[in-house]
Amino acid sequence: MIDVLNPANGQTVGQAPAMSVSEVNAAIDRTCAAFPAWSRQLAKARSDLLRRWFERIRDDKAAFAELIVKENGKCLSEAYAEVDYGLGFIEWYAEEAKRVYGDTIPSHAADSAITVVKEPVGPTAAITPWNFPFMMITRKIATALAAGCTMIIKPAEETPLTAYKLLEAAREVGIPEGVFEMVTGDPKAIGARFTSDTRIRKLSFTGSTAVGRLLASASGQTLTRMTLELGGNAPFIVFDDADLEAALEGAVGAKLRNSGQVCISPNRFYVHDAIHDRFIEALAERVSRVEVGDGMRDDFVVGPMINRAGFDKVASLVDEARAHGARIVLGGQAHAAGGLFYEPTIVSGLDDDAEMARTEIFGPVFAVYRFDTEDEVIARANATEYGLVAYAYTRDLGRSLRLSRALEAGMVILNSGSVGTASVPFGGIKQSGYGREGSYYGIEEYVDVKYVLMSGLGR
């Protein structure tokens, strides 16, 4: 069995099975065997089942939120927000199941007709991370099932309990065995099975760029379709004409969500010279008021790092910046609560050669840089292998349009720190991956386009 630990106190929350190779193979077999019948279900039947799953989870929202806090460490208000976010995907794709439309194309011959239809790609698999143990699963599974695909999921070994609770709710409302399957155990072995089995026609992965490259390479041998949502190094640009209060609110909310352990978390804060000092002072005042502690409470708090490796990475990046002359404005050390808690930290005086500028921090650290001109900051923002999301604050409409075109990211967020909802396409470019999740673009990732020519129809 796999022990699941509460990162806030190290206590055991529960256990999940460390499945053997034969158990994983059996689950893949069930996923593949269930596909023909599920793909032939009427779209309304799939929609109705997803809707019942949505309602079953909604009725048990408190239990899901509390479980997320215990195995992930985020605070209760964030856990409730995650449940609502994840429910939004089930609700959205319950409707989208009925809207996978095809086309007719004017024929090139008088006795012919041409149609284009969209069909489910086949059995699919997904590997999900620990930072959003509820939403990451519902976003993938709801899309696949709505399209007529079956799916087997491997959740993160740090947070499998929420995943199994989702599976339990799915079974209770009648989503059949095989249509939604789950395996837990050795991630390398399970990933290898997903990518080597030619019956699995698509793999969706959210996680690090390094692992994404390995999976993409392995999937290339079987030509398995992929959706990859990988690492980020998001710039957060504040121009001198920005609404400073709005920028501060967006910065704090976006950075401290899940203790900074979010792929879309701002990583590099570029602040215009004219307002840099004022921004830093106001940011420090706001961040100093944020509490750190166990998340099982109603108000917002910054929780722990997920594990010791995550904690050590954050501490090492801050120490490296300090050693190279950066100014620690706030925090910069382990929190007095001990364990895996790290103080919300503000670092300034950085240059673009700092390790922190090149690495996804994945912790509650605001790394602040100065800039002077628009062209300069665009070039610096784009000087990264990643391209998931970019944020910018400005009141200048023309500049907003220029930024939306010039910033190299799959998502450009102007005058807001909030990115996600079920109705928008989520995903990156460059080394942040490819493919989209959410919106009607998301379901397109799970269908094949088939051209049908009907000839000999007469005049």
Side-chain angles (χ1 to χ4, degrees):
M1 301 297 289
I2 300 168
D3 288 329
V4 181
L5 305 179
N6 185 333
N9 54 31
Q11 295 178 359
T12 300
V13 181
Q15 292 183 317
M19 292 183 176
S20 66
V21 172
S22 61
E23 288 174 312
V24 172
N25 289 340
I28 293 174
D29 289 343
R30 291 193 297 271
T31 303
C32 297
F35 172 71
W38 181 252
S39 64
R40 290 193 297 267
Q41 284 271 9
L42 291 176
K44 186 179 185 304
R46 298 197 299 268
S47 173
D48 289 345
L49 272 176
L50 286 170
R51 185 72 199 186
R52 289 204 292 271
W53 191 35
F54 166 86
E55 292 168 350
R56 169 65 183 81
I57 296 167
R58 185 181 58 186
D59 291 343
D60 203 18
K61 186 188 297 188
F64 275 98
E66 290 174 7
L67 183 55
I68 291 169
V69 174
K70 290 176 182 176
E71 67 173 351
N72 170 273
K74 66 179 61 175
C75 67
L76 193 58
S77 61
E78 285 192 275
Y80 271 107
E82 181 183 344
V83 174
D84 286 336
Y85 188 15
L87 281 171
F89 286 101
I90 303 176
E91 184 177 40
W92 176 268
Y93 284 109
E95 295 301 315
E96 286 298 295
K98 298 177 285 187
R99 300 190 182 104
V100 183
Y101 300 140
D103 295 292
T104 59
I105 296 176
S107 177
H108 55 279
D111 66 343
S112 300
I114 296 172
T115 61
V116 176
V117 295
K118 295 176 181 176
E119 298 179 340
V121 299
T124 64
I127 300 174
T128 60
W130 50 263
N131 55 348
F132 288 90
F134 182 100
M135 182 277 292
M136 288 292 184
I137 289 177
T138 59
R139 183 160 71 183
K140 296 180 190 298
I141 191 71
T143 316
L145 269 56
C149 301
T150 55
M151 177 170 271
I152 182 169
I153 286 183
K154 189 217 105 46
E157 49 271 32
E158 293 91 347
T159 56
L161 303 182
T162 301
Y164 274 109
K165 189 171 178 63
L166 281 166
L167 178 62
E168 179 184 7
R171 291 286 186 268
E172 288 176 5
V173 301
I175 294 176
E177 182 181 81
V179 172
F180 176 11
E181 284 288 332
M182 191 168 296
V183 290
T184 44
D186 180 5
K188 289 184 179 180
I190 292 172
R193 286 296 299 118
F194 284 175
T195 55
S196 64
D197 195 319
T198 56
R199 296 174 299 170
I200 299 294
R201 298 309 309 141
K202 176 181 173 62
L203 174 63
S204 178
F205 171 73
T206 300
S208 72
T209 295
V211 174
R213 290 185 185 122
L214 293 173
L215 291 170
S217 177
S219 293
Q221 302 305 306
T222 53
L223 296 182
T224 301
R225 286 173 61 168
M226 295 196 75
T227 295
L228 294 174
E229 195 263 284
L230 308 176
N233 189 7
F236 189 105
I237 307 168
V238 185
F239 288 89
D240 56 348
D241 67 338
D243 180 332
L244 195 57
E245 286 300 309
L248 288 163
E249 181 179 353
V252 174
K255 184 67 214 185
L256 295 184
R257 182 183 302 120
N258 199 23
S259 307
Q261 301 171 112
V262 184
C263 60
I264 57 173
S265 178
N267 215 55
R268 297 168 292 153
F269 289 84
Y270 294 106
V271 183
H272 192 275
D273 274 330
I275 61 169
H276 176 275
D277 293 348
R278 184 154 50 104
F279 181 88
I280 286 278
E281 181 181 355
L283 181 65
E285 193 277 329
R286 283 178 179 246
V287 175
S288 66
R289 298 199 308 262
V290 178
E291 292 187 48
V292 175
D294 190 304
M296 199 63 76
R297 48 196 285 186
D298 292 333
D299 51 337
F300 175 83
V301 295
V302 172
M305 300 293 94
I306 187 66
N307 53 33
R308 179 54 58 181
F311 179 95
D312 290 344
K313 177 185 177 181
V314 171
S316 175
L317 287 170
V318 173
D319 290 345
E320 191 268 348
R322 182 189 285 114
H324 286 81
R327 176 188 170 213
I328 308 300
V329 178
L330 186 73
Q333 60 188 359
H335 192 269
L340 299 176
F341 292 97
Y342 196 86
E343 291 185 348
T345 296
I346 301 173
V347 183
S348 70
L350 291 158
D351 59 42
D352 292 352
D353 293 328
E355 181 67 22
M356 196 174 284
R358 303 190 304 271
T359 303
E360 188 173 26
I361 300 170
F362 237 59
V365 179
F366 297 78
V368 185
Y369 307 77
R370 292 178 180 269
F371 78 92
D372 183 36
T373 69
E374 180 181 322
D375 288 344
E376 169 209 342
V377 78
I378 288 172
R380 293 170 67 188
N382 289 340
T384 174
E385 65 177 350
Y386 300 105
L388 185 57
V389 63
Y391 304 86
Y393 279 76
T394 177
R395 287 190 174 105
D396 186 319
L397 181 59
R399 175 181 287 147
S400 295
L401 183 58
R402 292 192 298 273
L403 291 169
S404 73
R405 293 171 172 171
L407 290 171
E408 296 173 356
M411 300 173 286
V412 176
I413 311 301
L414 301 170
N415 299 316
S416 175
S418 178
V419 174
T421 181
S423 60
V424 302
F426 187 102
I429 60 174
K430 302 197 300 190
Q431 296 299 303
S432 291
Y434 47 77
R436 294 296 180 266
E437 294 184 309
S439 81
Y440 75 88
Y441 292 101
I443 206 165
E444 295 290 319
E445 302 278 340
Y446 288 85
V447 296
D448 285 326
V449 174
K450 178 183 284 186
Y451 148 58
V452 179
L453 172 67
M454 292 175 284
S455 194
L457 300 179
R459 293 185 182 275

